[in-house]
Structures are given as structure tokens and as C-alpha cells.
Amino acid sequence: MRDNVGYIQIGTSHDTSEFACDSIRYWWNTYGKQRYPLADSILLLCDGGGSNSSRHYIFKQDLQALVNELGISIRIAHYPPYTSKHNPIEHRLFPHLTRVCQGVIFDSVQTVQELMATATTRTGLNVFTTILDKTYQTGRKVALDFKSTMKIVFDEFLPQWNYTAQPELQVI
């Protein structure tokens, strides 16, 4: 928010939890760890449904795999149902993406990427876009033992919406 920068990953397949985690991975590896080299955790403000649903453990399972790979904790704070309109991204980024795409026929995903990258404001908004061209499988199920082995720590306050995925320690 303070940097007035938006990062958009455009998928060519389905909006799945794997896609959401691939988007986080891409952002961290491409921008995040260079911008925040001393970070020991990431905070994500998420809506409550879709690929990063607060109710489904498949997102938590994919998130656990991501933090194990990155070696950094990710704290999730979901907006309660019907309150994502209070998400600052909804007001600081999405209207400008809508504006640049208005009235344009999308003939390719590259057209969408190029348009979104042109979204700017008088205050200096800068948008970085990329295409994640991967096929994401829908209907995946959580591993039977995931809930008993996960390193997800649920907050005492509103645990259904607030939790932290901690990396599993690798024994060498």
C-alpha cells in the first residue's frame, strides 16, 4: 500500500488453491524477498472464498507446502464473509484495472496483461503483471493425515479466519 504498487498474476487455467499459492510464490521470489530481505514472515489479507477459502483445508495444505518450500511463515487474516469490500486493494487497485480494461475486447491473455500493466494514477500507482500459464486441477482432496500433521497455528481470536502456516523443520 505504502509503495503504491500492485502485483497481478493472471492465470490461464482454474482459480484453485494451487494457483493462489503459485501466485504468492511468484511474488515472493520475484519481488518480496528483494524488497523485504529481513522479513521472517509474510502477512496476507485474504477474502474468504474461492481459491484461498477460509473454510477448505486444501488451501491450508497448499499453503503448508509453500511455507515449507520458502522457509518463511505466512500469516493469513481472512476478511469475514461479505466484508472484503473493506479490503484496501478493492479501492486502491481494482478500480484502475477496471478502467484500463473498459470497452476492450480481450483477444488474448497477453492483451489483458498489457492493459493491466498500464494502470496508473496521479499518485503514482505502478502495476506489475505476469501470466501463470499452468493447468490447475480442480476437485483435489486434502490428504487424509494433513490435519494431524499440519503446522498451521490457529489464532485464539477468530481462528476460522486467522492462522499462521509455519514451515516444518527439515532434519538433516
Side-chain angles (χ1 to χ4, degrees):
M1 293 283 297
R2 181 181 53 218
D3 292 343
N4 208 13
V5 175
Y7 304 94
I8 304 291
Q9 283 77 47
I10 302 164
T12 59
S13 180
H14 299 283
D15 183 19
T16 66
S17 61
E18 186 182 11
F19 170 71
C21 289
D22 279 355
S23 294
I24 298 163
R25 175 184 297 103
Y26 178 84
W27 173 82
W28 178 250
N29 288 332
T30 307
Y31 304 104
K33 65 182 171 184
Q34 288 79 20
R35 175 73 176 94
Y36 307 101
L38 302 177
D40 60 1
S41 65
I42 299 170
L43 168 65
L44 296 178
L45 304 177
C46 300
D47 61 14
S51 60
N52 57 326
S53 174
S54 59
R55 295 174 306 183
H56 301 291
Y57 273 81
I58 193 71
F59 174 63
K60 294 171 181 73
Q61 179 177 292
D62 288 342
L63 187 65
Q64 182 69 62
L66 177 62
V67 299
N68 290 348
E69 174 190 330
L70 299 181
I72 188 169
S73 296
I74 297 180
R75 176 162 168 60
I76 301 291
H78 287 282
Y79 285 94
Y82 309 106
T83 62
S84 64
K85 64 184 170 232
H86 299 292
N87 180 340
I89 302 302
E90 299 267 347
H91 304 284
R92 298 276 303 267
L93 179 61
F94 292 168
H96 307 294
L97 296 175
T98 302
R99 177 179 41 82
V100 298
C101 292
Q102 207 165 23
V104 177
I105 295 173
F106 298 155
D107 57 0
S108 71
V109 71
Q110 287 76 20
T111 298
V112 175
Q113 179 188 21
E114 291 166 7
L115 282 169
M116 289 186 170
T118 66
T120 59
T121 62
R122 281 179 264 152
T123 60
L125 172 67
N126 196 5
V127 178
F128 295 94
T129 61
T130 193
I131 298 170
L132 296 181
D133 191 17
K134 177 179 174 181
T135 301
Y136 294 99
Q137 179 185 350
T138 59
R140 293 173 46 236
K141 302 291 182 201
V142 176
L144 294 175
D145 66 339
F146 175 69
K147 288 183 183 180
S148 63
T149 62
M150 67 182 182
K151 300 295 181 200
I152 306 281
V153 177
F154 294 91
D155 289 12
E156 287 186 33
F157 183 72
L158 299 172
Q160 70 273 32
W161 298 319
N162 300 298
Y163 50 89
T164 302
Q166 300 175 337
E168 294 176 0
L169 298 176
Q170 302 295 323
V171 179
I172 298 176

